[in-house]
Amino acid sequence: MQIPTDRYTSREFAEKERDLIWMRTWQVAGRVDELPEVGDWKEYRLFDQSYVIVRGKDREIRGFANACRHRGNPLCTGKGNSKRGFLCRYHLWSYDLDGRLRGILREKVLDPIDKDENSLLPVRVECFAGFVFLNPDPDAAPLVDFLGDEIPKLLAPYRLDEMVTVLDVRESLDCNWKVVVDAFSEGYHISGIHPELLKVIDIDPSKSRHLFLGDHSVSVAPFEVANVSVFGPEDQVEGIRELPGTFPTVATVLPRFEELVSAHRDEDGKLDFPEGVTARTLLQRATRDTLTGMGLDVSGLTDAQMSDNHGWVLFPNFFMTIRAGEATVILALPDPGGDPGRCVWHISSYMWLPPEHREAFRAELTEVEEPGSFPYFLALQQDYEQMPRQQRGLRNKRLEHMTLVKEEIVIAHYHSVVDGYLSVGANGEV
């Protein structure tokens, strides 16, 4: 499949995406636990559009256009709490948390104003798996229709809604937002960008599996020590020990892993695995034991889900790797000013922790102002540096298209979905 390069560089193409994708699709606007109390609110910006998401007195989460119905003044910026509702600082019109116009300055001396007709304009907001989804299109189908039946069933056993945010970073990048989605939709680049992983991870495309679910997809490749049939038990164990350098959360289960390994050593300390036992299977058991001991019910997850990262792509801009007890999400947002050569990337990591430990590990949002100043873990840093390099190459006028290979089937599917949205005109006609 060939992908035209102008979809990464053309402002005209970016404007079509704005109108036909971004203003019409469900997109993650935050986490439910960002709004724990009545009156908690946050702003969500998309290009020059601003929305406010708020938890009402009935504890429902709602969304509104962030504009006073009087003269359009924004009601709020950033995030905060306002248990009594919203007050426009321009002319002091006030609104309840459910958006209803409540008070008008000098109302008794003004001509009658219909408060129902002048309440805040609602925006579609729904919650799923602990995430808050927003759709700018008032006529959009429900979120459940957008996701389909299978996605909720497949994700439910992970208990995503119970995970706590342990990393939350946002910054601008010098690349198109689809460069980010593409980069995390394939493992073909591991040999070039993450060579140290070749020592510890088995990269075998024939073992990869993909499931396409309408506009979305999920992929998995076994997470195990490379060349397990060649290396002996000690080499396999050492490979697992090296994983935290690239996958930091593996360190949580290493103490239990070491206990399980020790059970297979003889009196002289020699390690010998019986048939059916490898470092991978011990890692899976250690993960299950550790999470169960923490209080997480993992009975609905397979042994493979104890170790293997599943890569989810939810259209248009949500990428997630998830396995038992943890998930990392990367959101790629278009540049607020519409520059096709720039985007905003927002990376968050989540862990399942016992309730009594969640607040201690909860991370607040870090806004990175100086490019390159935030210390991402190794694999993520390598991707962070690669994506702007690719954008520089995509600007080459002689390069009219990219050529995908078989291992990049998820990218091919993704861009076919993009094409489907863009083939629909502004009036809904194909």
Side-chain angles (χ1 to χ4, degrees):
M1 182 175 179
Q2 294 179 344
I3 306 295
T5 54
D6 65 353
R7 65 178 52 198
Y8 300 90
T9 60
S10 165
R11 188 172 286 270
E12 179 182 1
F13 192 90
E15 290 172 354
K16 290 181 181 178
E17 290 178 330
R18 171 192 165 118
D19 294 338
L20 300 176
I21 295 178
W22 289 101
M23 303 308 295
R24 296 188 176 189
T25 55
W26 288 99
Q27 52 209 265
V28 170
R31 287 284 285 177
V32 172
D33 61 10
E34 292 182 75
L35 309 170
E37 305 296 333
V38 170
D40 284 343
W41 58 264
K42 66 169 291 184
E43 181 188 16
Y44 178 68
R45 292 186 181 184
L46 180 65
F47 297 104
D48 59 355
Q49 305 297 294
S50 176
Y51 310 99
V52 58
I53 303 167
V54 61
R55 188 179 290 277
K57 293 178 181 179
D58 58 0
R59 301 205 58 80
E60 289 294 314
I61 294 179
R62 297 179 176 87
F64 304 98
N66 186 16
C68 178
R69 294 300 305 280
H70 173 220
R71 297 266 295 279
N73 197 61
L75 298 171
C76 49
T77 302
K79 65 178 183 177
N81 179 279
S82 182
K83 287 184 172 59
R84 297 186 62 187
F86 300 105
L87 177 67
C88 176
R89 299 293 180 182
Y90 197 5
H91 297 97
L92 303 183
W93 284 32
S94 60
Y95 302 86
D96 287 329
L97 295 176
D98 61 4
R100 176 176 167 76
L101 178 59
R102 184 179 67 205
I104 301 171
L105 180 66
R106 292 194 285 276
E107 181 178 358
K108 293 183 179 179
V109 300
L110 299 177
D111 292 331
I113 295 175
D114 189 324
K115 290 185 177 179
D116 290 332
E117 288 294 323
N118 289 279
S119 294
L120 295 181
L121 296 169
V123 178
R124 299 289 299 277
V125 167
E126 295 189 37
C127 300
F128 166 69
F131 294 100
V132 179
F133 285 76
L134 178 146
N135 194 323
D137 183 0
D139 299 319
L143 178 63
V144 65
D145 293 347
F146 179 67
L147 294 175
D149 296 332
E150 288 300 309
I151 290 175
K153 293 178 183 177
L154 292 169
L155 288 178
Y158 289 104
R159 307 289 185 92
L160 249 173
D161 58 323
E162 299 177 17
M163 292 187 186
V164 64
T165 306
V166 296
L167 174 71
D168 199 19
V169 182
R170 183 167 61 199
E171 68 173 296
S172 296
L173 280 184
D174 288 329
C175 66
N176 185 271
W177 63 275
K178 294 183 297 300
V179 167
V180 177
V181 178
D182 292 349
F184 291 94
S185 297
E186 48 86 6
Y188 188 49
H189 70 274
I190 289 178
S191 297
I193 302 301
H194 313 298
E196 67 287 338
L197 289 184
L198 299 177
K199 299 178 182 178
V200 293
I201 302 294
D202 187 13
I203 307 299
D204 184 352
S206 68
K207 297 181 180 179
S208 297
R209 296 293 180 266
H210 310 283
L211 179 63
F212 299 103
L213 302 159
D215 293 349
H216 321 291
S217 65
V218 58
S219 305
V220 62
F223 185 78
E224 61 185 329
V225 176
N227 300 315
V228 67
S229 61
V230 176
F231 292 127
E234 292 288 2
D235 295 311
Q236 295 178 36
V237 169
E238 189 56 36
I240 297 297
R241 289 171 178 157
E242 292 182 24
L243 289 176
T246 302
F247 302 98
T249 53
V250 174
T252 306
V253 303
L254 281 185
R256 177 56 178 155
F257 173 76
E258 296 290 357
E259 290 179 0
L260 295 174
V261 169
S262 296
H264 296 285
R265 295 188 185 278
D266 62 20
E267 295 180 354
D268 297 327
K270 183 180 179 181
L271 183 61
D272 184 29
F273 289 152
E275 184 176 354
V277 174
T278 65
R280 169 181 163 84
T281 65
L282 294 182
L283 176 63
Q284 292 171 344
R285 182 179 168 188
T287 303
R288 188 178 293 278
D289 291 351
T290 300
L291 294 175
T292 300
M294 292 168 58
L296 175 60
D297 179 7
V298 293
S299 60
L301 297 172
T302 66
D303 286 341
Q305 288 171 305
M306 295 297 109
S307 57
D308 299 347
N309 281 299
H310 286 62
W312 285 84
V313 177
L314 301 184
F315 194 83
N317 68 326
F318 177 101
F319 173 80
M320 173 176 66
T321 59
I322 186 168
R323 60 183 180 139
E326 64 173 325
T328 295
V329 169
I330 294 174
L331 299 173
L333 290 155
D335 176 64
D339 184 345
R342 293 182 58 79
C343 74
V344 175
W345 98 322
H346 188 169
I347 176 167
S348 304
S349 291
Y350 308 95
M351 291 184 66
W352 194 94
L353 294 167
E356 63 271 21
H357 296 308
R358 291 174 185 173
E359 288 307 313
F361 287 88
R362 190 182 304 277
E364 295 295 323
L365 175 64
T366 297
E367 295 274 12
V368 180
E369 302 294 339
E370 182 181 348
S373 62
F374 188 85
Y376 298 104
F377 60 83
L378 179 59
L380 202 58
Q381 181 67 29
Q382 292 164 330
D383 288 312
Y384 171 84
E385 295 171 359
Q386 164 59 29
M387 291 182 290
R389 284 200 298 266
Q390 183 186 1
Q391 184 69 32
R392 291 197 295 271
L394 291 171
R395 294 191 183 103
N396 195 310
K397 297 297 184 182
R398 290 294 306 278
L399 185 68
E400 296 181 351
H401 64 262
M402 305 186 307
T403 301
L404 301 183
V405 299
K406 191 174 182 179
E407 289 185 47
E408 296 164 324
I409 186 173
V410 174
I411 299 178
H413 173 265
Y414 176 81
H415 282 271
S416 70
V417 177
V418 170
D419 291 340
Y421 275 84
L422 298 187
S423 68
V424 180
N427 60 0
E429 297 179 358
V430 177

